[in-house]
Amino acid sequence: MLRLYSSHLNFMKKEYQPEVLEPAVQKFWQAHQCFKATEDPNKEKFYCLSMFPYPSGHLHVGHVRNYVLGDVIARYQRMLGKNVLHPIGWDAFGLPAENAALKHGVAPAEWTYANIDHMRTPLKQLGLGFDWSREITTCKPDYYRWEQWLFVQLLKKGLVYKKNSAVNWDPVDHTVLANEQVIDGRGWRSGALIERREIPQWFFKITAYADELVDDLDALTEWPEEVKTMQRHWIGRSSGLTIQFKIDKNCALNDNAAESSVVQSIDVFTTRPDTLFGVTFLAISPQHTLARYAAEHNIQIQKFIASYQQVSVAEAATATLEKQGIDSGLTARHPITHEPLAIWIANFVKSDYGCGAIMGVPAHDARDFDFAKKYQLAVRTVIQALEKEPTDDTQGPLGGQLINSGVFTGLSSAQAAMAITELLIKNGLACKKIHYRLRDWGVSRQRYWGSPIPIINCDHCGAVPVPEKDLPVILPEAIHFTGTHSPLKTMPEFYQTTCPQCHQPATRETDTLDTFVESSWYYARFACPTQAKAMLDNRAHYWLPVDHYIGGIEHAILHLLYARFFHKVLRDLDLIDSKHNEPFTRLLTQGMVLKDGTKMSKSKGNTVDPKQLMNIYGSDTLRLFVLFAAPPEQSLEWSNSGVEGAHRFLKRLWTFAYMNVWLREFNQNATSNLENPFDDTHIPTKQQAFRREIYKILQLAKHDYERQQFNTVIASSMKLLNLLSTAEHSNMNSTSATPNLAIQYIIQLGFSMLLRLLAPIVPHITHVLWQELAFTGLILDAHWPTLAADALTIEEITWVVQVNGKLRAHLSLATTADEEAIKTAALNNAIIKRYTENQAIKKMIIVPKKLINIVL
Ligand code: ANZ
Ligand code: ZN
């Protein structure tokens, strides 16, 4: 047992001095390794993780919010008796390091490591209870070697493959961008106009897990609905029908093409077979094979297709895109009516979704309607809405009744969908199909600062994985950046090698992995960060899954989806417990930090420097403010007066302790302590109300901790401090500096609870006051206050008071009041006194808990 109250730690000065006590407390934590987590199978574990930071070099208020939230949750769970793991690391690869290299001529590695050192200090200053012995830095070979190893395992399992694919090419950053990195057709960092390019790339087959990734969302009951909806939408599972339309032979195709099976028929994907009679045209994407045939002798079409190459993938994906098309000159036949339908080449048809072709139903699809209007194509209504006029498919897909649909007329949409599907399938013209919006994850990056892809390209053997014994493929750190181009591509000492299979000269892959790969499994590696023999070991079985994950809503889709995918992959490789299908049991997405209503950003010059604030007010103040200003998931408006308010509260807390320093002796001499709480019934009736109030506050705070409304926990703490101040003054002996014994009990009870309620939030001041006032143990490990069994039962009974059988008054009395007290209270009541004045009282009849009858 650690010695708690030691004279060298005597902070009980009149002034609250965070600048003195905070470093001392942090030193104490460090000296005693208070946050070092060890696996203990006899204890329930709790793994709390805040998304690890990118080491930009500066800690901003958003970071502070993220890590303080995680810290509060971790500390709270520890007080509930759990074995807590709360680690931290660095998401250290990424483009900014290369930009810095270009700008300042410093190597990305050097820049990154310096930034990490720079950011560690303020993180420690915040008093975050991290297990620093588990610190992970993803740009170090001891980390990325295991993702290279995993890459090879996945390659063997067919979950990694290489293919040519159209990408968003940023001509300034010389890199491929993800769709969400393209904003209005421009690169999110460079601002350059994005081009479409086809290049060979490595892919993770995340689509193999698409169904599981959708289905398992239902089991994530402690995730925000919003995030699950975004994930569902991103995966975009949609069940529909592939319908075949026969192409007319008389089309202006060259003879070879017309004979080829490719142009015998065209498949379209639809989720609305009920609208089949409303089809007035077909449309294909500019990349469709048929479009190329159509272009062969048609310059206009060639031009149209070429102009489309310039448009980025991301832009084509947006619904708001200006619809454009050209008639291909081809026609196809409606599968039921055999009516001819023109085939258009249209920019709004995605090449990589469904069949890359659609049946145009302008009356019931908004996109088709825009297109038909622009090119004066027929609009044919085939579904009559039961209530509203049909305008587009947003009013619920199957809500109406069929018209103008041959034998299907009169059926409901749902019935028609089934009947039409059945007919088409019977005639071999359609088959059921499930499509996903989700694409495989392209992980190749034409960048330097990332994990090398462990592949050797051999002229004879093709792409050969680097043998496990040769891993990791180390990224050279001492490099010189001359342009945005990756230096790896001009370093023969890096790429020249021999083929592991045929031993002839070969070249290494010079692309690196998407940095999302590192962040997809770091949560698991924290279980065994220094394990040199394997990616994960048994400790992962103990710690995983993460019980509580905290991070920004901006990661709601990709990061979380990739990590979920990795978790399932790791599970299927038997690296983690097969019981757990998901990496993060509970998710908290914190809101943004705003100043004057806008997002804090360097470019706006409205940032606040947490370090400076900590130096002025102390980190407890900063923590308290950040938690008090808003509930975690809402945006937080920065306010200087709010910071000062938080500081004032801590000063009040300190002063209260200082004024009640008698508690130290009281606690030292008391037979009662936290392990052996005092008998609450010591508190006389008069003070029961205080006691009840204290427990009410405790109950509310517990509830708020569970639902993470820390702002209201703080409000409750403020209320509790007010209550204790009132109690302190209510019964002060006029002659003595200490309150009477009953109030002493109240203050001991209430203050020990107040400190514990606040301990996860403001760990330094509470640590010191706990010690200074000689409460038992470390507050860090003090158990969470529990509710006394009787604490909240109704403590008062309303008595009916009669005089000679007539109702004269009501009287509220404590349940604990004995007969004597009840009689006295009744006789002393002002109303009753009027009726009994100067009269002899013959007797008093008491009906327990109900009635007092005074007989004169
Ligand atoms: C006819 C129709 C009528 C459609 C109607 C919708 C409403 P989800 O649910 O996202 O899977 N579609 C199919 N392939 C496409 C592609 N490659 N590019 C653009 N759009 C494509 O959407 C399926 C619907 O999206 C399909 O159903 C098709 O339009 C369109 F009142 O077919 B529908
Ligand atoms: Zn070879």
Side-chain angles (χ1 to χ4, degrees), residues 236-238 269-272 275 348-361 364-365 367-368 393 435 437:
R237 179 167 62 190
S238 127
F269 176 65
T270 179
T271 48
R272 296 291 308 276
T275 64
F348 72 93
V349 181
K350 286 173 246 164
S351 63
D352 58 353
Y353 187 72
C355 307
I358 61 138
M359 57 183 217
V361 187
H364 303 290
D365 182 295
R367 295 161 299 182
D368 299 350
D393 60 347
H435 280 292
R437 217 177 80 89

Side-chain angles (χ1 to χ4, degrees), residues 660-673 678 682 738-749 773-775:
N660 290 282
V661 76
W662 54 265
L663 254 176
R664 178 190 297 183
E665 218 171 305
F666 188 87
N667 277 332
Q668 280 167 338
N669 298 335
T671 47
S672 66
N673 55 41
F678 56 76
H682 280 195
T738 53
N740 70 26
L741 189 64
I743 290 297
Q744 288 186 8
Y745 278 119
I746 285 292
I747 289 178
Q748 187 203 33
L749 173 77
L773 299 180
F775 286 103

Side-chain angles (χ1 to χ4, degrees), residues 719-785:
K719 210 170 138 195
L720 183 49
L721 181 59
N722 287 341
L723 182 78
L724 295 178
S725 304
T726 312
E728 182 194 9
H729 296 298
S730 71
N731 216 335
M732 196 73 95
N733 271 334
S734 49
T735 49
S736 137
T738 53
N740 70 26
L741 189 64
I743 290 297
Q744 288 186 8
Y745 278 119
I746 285 292
I747 289 178
Q748 187 203 33
L749 173 77
F751 203 63
S752 88
M753 282 189 187
L754 177 58
L755 290 179
R756 281 178 286 170
L757 292 193
L758 285 170
I761 295 167
V762 285
H764 306 90
I765 187 173
T766 48
H767 174 100
V768 167
L769 294 180
W770 191 260
Q771 284 202 333
E772 294 293 315
L773 299 180
F775 286 103
T776 314
L778 276 183
I779 194 163
L780 200 59
D781 293 313
H783 62 70
W784 192 254

Side-chain angles (χ1 to χ4, degrees), residues 375-595:
Y375 296 103
Q376 285 147 25
L377 306 172
V379 177
R380 189 178 305 145
T381 303
V382 290
I383 294 171
Q384 205 157 44
L386 297 176
E387 286 124 55
K388 275 191 266 165
E389 275 292 302
T391 45
D392 60 79
D393 60 347
T394 56
Q395 24 179 261
L398 304 171
Q401 196 178 39
L402 266 71
I403 55 171
N404 300 326
S405 295
V407 297
F408 303 99
T409 299
L411 294 183
S412 73
S413 270
Q415 290 167 331
M418 279 196 291
I420 292 174
T421 299
E422 208 176 296
L423 178 73
L424 292 177
I425 290 175
K426 206 180 78 195
N427 294 334
L429 293 169
C431 53
K432 285 189 181 166
K433 189 91 191 163
I434 295 175
H435 280 292
Y436 301 85
R437 217 177 80 89
L438 183 69
R439 297 278 82 101
D440 278 337
W441 175 12
V443 292
S444 293
R445 293 293 178 273
Q446 294 66 41
R447 286 184 191 150
Y448 157 71
W449 191 233
S451 163
I453 294 176
I455 290 288
I456 292 166
N457 294 310
C458 170
D459 286 344
H460 313 282
C461 314
V464 181
V466 174
E468 279 176 36
K469 65 172 175 47
D470 296 337
L471 293 178
V473 179
I474 293 189
L475 182 74
E477 292 192 349
I479 52 97
H480 187 62
F481 247 76
T482 47
T484 44
H485 227 75
S486 164
L488 293 183
K489 311 213 182 266
T490 54
M491 286 174 77
E493 65 272 37
F494 175 76
Y495 63 73
Q496 276 176 1
T497 184
T498 49
C499 170
Q501 272 172 26
C502 70
H503 307 291
Q504 298 198 42
T507 52
R508 274 186 204 290
E509 181 75 61
T510 53
D511 280 358
T512 54
L513 288 170
D514 180 4
T515 61
F516 270 115
V517 178
E518 285 88 60
S519 53
S520 296
W521 67 283
Y522 78 111
Y523 71 92
R525 182 71 178 172
F526 275 130
C528 50
T530 56
Q531 175 55 267
K533 296 208 167 65
M535 185 178 195
L536 298 173
D537 64 27
N538 275 339
R539 289 172 285 175
H541 292 275
Y542 179 73
W543 290 114
L544 294 178
V546 174
D547 295 278
H548 207 137
Y549 198 34
I550 302 110
I553 188 79
E554 65 276 17
H555 294 297
I557 300 175
L558 291 185
H559 163 60
L560 291 172
L561 193 65
Y562 293 154
R564 295 180 60 224
F565 163 57
F566 259 54
H567 192 86
K568 292 169 195 299
V569 165
L570 296 174
R571 177 202 60 195
D572 292 347
L573 288 169
D574 285 328
L575 290 166
I576 50 183
D577 197 334
S578 61
K579 272 202 309 289
H580 302 297
N581 295 316
E582 288 288 330
F584 313 120
T585 306
R586 187 170 184 178
L587 176 69
L588 173 63
T589 45
Q590 101 222 27
M592 280 195 300
V593 182
L594 308 175
K595 199 173 171 199

